[in-house]
Amino acid sequence: MNNFVELENQFYLNVFKRAPFLLTRGKGLYCYDHQGKKYLDFIAGLGVNAFGYGDPEILASLKRQSAKLIHCTNLYYTEPQLTLAQILIRHSCTDKVFFCNSGTEAVEGAIKFARRYGHEKFRSPRHEIISFYNGFHGRTMGGLSATAQRKFHTGFTPLLPGFKYCTFNDFDSVKRALSPKTCAILIEPVQGEGGIYPAEKKFLQQLEQLCRQKDLLLIVDEIQCGLGRTGSLFAYQQYGMKPHLITLAKPLAAGLPIGAVLIQKKVAQFLRPGDHGSTFGGNPLACAIGITVLKKLIFKRIPQKVKALGQYFLKELEVRIGSHPRVKEIRGRGLMIGIELDSEVAPLVSRGYQNGLLIGTAGKNIIRLLPPLIIEKKQVDLFLQKFIMIFLQQFSMAEQR
Ligand SMILES: *Cc1c(COP(=O)(O)O)cnc(C)c1O
């Protein structure tokens, strides 16, 4: 297919800014386009393809389960759903799981469960949820309302009522936003879409303490930063705190649609048959792959490797371009890395494409890197070699003070 740009213009809703090529296949850490050109992939389907492309164990579980049972609704018990739920609970601080089909749907679930808690636990019902500027929680009306970034709201108002926005890493702003109606605080331990901003340890601990004092629920959105990405199975584990609800999605089924809400008992007790649901959610195929994903992450000690490699990656970036006049900040946790420039990064991303490199963005001025979690030092070195080359081409050495 060569007329993909025209076809998209004619038939597809114009909501995406796409790269100027058509991807046809992937193998390992590389993608190939319609002309057979090869790209080293350091965005990994927005952090979804944690094991790269064509992983034999993922493919085997896909094949095995799809031959047995792809879907049957939640009218019936299925084994992969229960096994995956059990693994997630064993390794987290929560007690129950609900599966859905995407990140935004997981956030919707968490909002509903928090509201239910607020309605049933207290004599005068609570429904307000505090979320943070620069956060991202999805595109459906609940997730969108939780997303405190005006650019996503334009033309879609009125939003769902009951959200209050606070400043990330500013505990006073949270205290000011509290009201007798507050039922939960929703936060990304590392903000992804908003620009790769890690929460401060003290801040998350203060939020946890506040939640304990006021009987509020702490919801961590780990859709992007969870499942090994930041160097621990769950990002919250690096903060010495325990959330009441956790949302997961992106890499959970290695590319098949899935989302999950992990819930503590004290919230789960208020949900009964008929209160929430999903036709596809927790289907045997996505869950069977989810089991393989979790087993690989855990048994191969991938989060530990990500932690060490991420430190090396950040340090090397800092050493090589950290003091370049165009670089404002290099930050991240594990293999979730942001490089903030003083200007738009789009030309750099295009130059990457020309040179066989897929890199992402978060906002206009920030490069976002979410490579597959299975990369090794030599592939970080290969990336650095390519990236530094295009970086210096783009912002020629002459500019350097
Ligand atoms: C991607 C993302 C979402 C939305 O997930 P979708 O699967 O695109 O609906 C929500 N929260 C965070 C933190 C995300 O990174």
Side-chain angles (χ1 to χ4, degrees), residues 30 36 99 115 122 143 153 162 181 197 244 254 273 277 284-286 300 333 349 372 379 388 396:
Y30 290 90
F99 289 119
R115 279 193 170 183
F122 307 100
H153 298 165
K181 301 264 177 228
Y197 294 98
H244 303 104
L285 184 58
K300 295 181 195 270
R333 287 276 188 286
V349 173
Q379 288 137 350
I388 302 302
S396 75

Side-chain angles (χ1 to χ4, degrees), residues 102-105 107 136-139 188 221 223-224 249-250:
S102 66
T104 197
E105 241 182 280
V107 171
F136 184 80
H137 302 290
R139 305 284 196 158
E188 294 167 88
D221 182 346
I223 290 166
Q224 192 162 151
K250 290 190 166 89

Side-chain angles (χ1 to χ4, degrees), residues 312 315-323 381 384-385 388:
Y312 170 74
K315 190 191 87 215
E316 288 297 312
L317 281 168
E318 194 59 57
V319 166
R320 295 178 201 214
I321 54 169
S323 55
D381 290 338
L384 285 166
Q385 187 196 327
I388 302 302

